[in-house]
Amino acid sequence: KNQVEQSPQSLIILEGKNCTLQCNYTVSPFSNLRWYKQDTGRGPVSLTIMTFSENTKSNGRYTATLDADTKQSSLHITASQLSDSASYICVVSDSNYQLIWGAGTKLIIKP
Amino acid sequence: KAGVTQTPRYLIKTRGQQVTLSCSPISGHRSVSWYQQTPGQGLQFLFEYFSETQRNKGNFPGRFSGRQFSNSRSEMNVSTLELGDSALYLCASSLYRGQDTEAFFGQGTRLTVV
């Protein structure tokens, strides 16, 4: 069964610190992996999209990595800011245009 | 360029009623997908429309239906509402159906069934 699992479920860090969120997937066939940021009560916003051949992709202070062999991805946030408080969702696309969504990691940045 | 617009933003309905939600995609986008999001759950895929045709459907009962118009605007309808249908309903639009195409989301419609 195609699944996307994220860890941790929630995370609290101090402003200015770095953090890494994890995503494991069992989607096959794999097309691409996306990370989204969702603020409370709003729609998700795309951070990165990575295909099979890409190992790393950055978007400002966000860096995503992908290991297609172990079917793992991570999202690293550098020098966190209060505005980074949100849910971060890992999404894997299969070749049938279906997006399989993880449950998300809720990140809280404390001043 | 205007983003994805969903209306209404909030809705309260009674069990047994039916509801219609609307989504206007970004101008030029032809693919529209609908998702249900409940607390603690990931987004659950409802269906995808492209060029007025349903291309993919998630695992939801027949009470959930949708359609897309020639201008790419889409509506979804839920009949015989149940308490468990209370959720944030999100619409996403994409330029086309390519596997790497980016999806842009609206603010969502918060449906509460009482």
Side-chain angles (χ1 to χ4, degrees):
Chain A
K1 182 185 174 185
N2 286 337
Q3 280 187 315
V4 176
E5 294 183 349
Q6 292 186 246
S7 61
Q9 211 171 10
S10 61
L11 184 62
I12 302 174
I13 63 172
L14 291 174
E15 186 181 9
K17 297 295 187 183
N18 303 336
C19 68
T20 300
L21 314 180
Q22 301 291 342
C23 172
N24 296 337
Y25 62 92
T26 57
V27 177
S28 181
F30 172 89
S31 176
N32 60 63
L33 186 144
R34 311 164 184 224
W35 283 94
Y36 281 86
K37 177 187 179 188
Q38 185 177 22
D39 292 312
T40 302
R42 302 179 80 92
V45 174
S46 177
L47 295 174
T48 63
I49 300 177
M50 286 191 293
T51 58
F52 184 88
S53 58
E54 294 176 294
N55 300 119
T56 304
K57 203 155 196 178
S58 291
N59 177 358
R61 294 179 296 101
Y62 300 102
T63 299
T65 65
L66 173 64
D67 185 335
D69 292 331
T70 61
K71 299 189 176 180
Q72 295 179 324
S73 175
S74 66
L75 180 69
H76 186 77
I77 304 175
T78 304
S80 61
Q81 299 176 359
L82 296 178
S83 59
D84 292 332
S85 293
S87 287
Y88 291 84
I89 309 172
C90 175
V91 189
V92 180
S93 173
D94 67 15
S95 59
N96 296 319
Y97 310 115
Q98 293 259 30
L99 299 180
I100 296 94
W101 293 73
T105 292
K106 188 178 172 94
L107 177 64
I108 297 172
I109 310 297
K110 293 210 161 187
Chain B
K1 198 176 192 181
V4 179
T5 304
Q6 291 189 244
T7 56
R9 286 292 313 278
Y10 303 92
L11 207 48
I12 299 176
K13 289 285 188 179
T14 306
R15 267 183 306 175
Q17 286 187 309
Q18 68 101 28
V19 67
T20 299
L21 311 181
S22 179
C23 172
S24 293
I26 292 171
S27 178
H29 284 198
R30 296 170 61 197
S31 174
V32 173
S33 297
W34 287 89
Y35 295 87
Q36 180 195 67
Q37 186 176 34
T38 50
Q41 295 256 1
L43 272 72
Q44 305 292 317
F45 172 72
L46 281 156
F47 23 66
E48 178 206 0
Y49 286 89
F50 181 81
S51 293
E52 302 176 65
T53 303
Q54 188 179 90
R55 304 292 175 154
N56 263 318
K57 190 177 191 311
N59 191 25
F60 277 82
R63 300 184 297 108
F64 291 81
S65 63
R67 59 179 174 167
Q68 186 180 34
F69 301 95
S70 58
N71 62 358
S72 294
R73 190 178 71 86
S74 177
E75 289 181 346
M76 68 161 277
N77 184 277
V78 188
S79 62
T80 320
L81 284 166
E82 301 176 359
L83 295 179
D85 296 333
S86 294
L88 179 67
Y89 289 87
L90 290 162
C91 162
S93 83
S94 302
L95 191 57
Y96 50 87
R97 289 196 79 223
Q99 289 158 6
D100 299 335
T101 186
E102 188 170 351
F104 296 85
F105 283 82
Q107 301 269 46
T109 293
R110 173 77 61 187
L111 172 65
T112 302
V113 182
V114 297

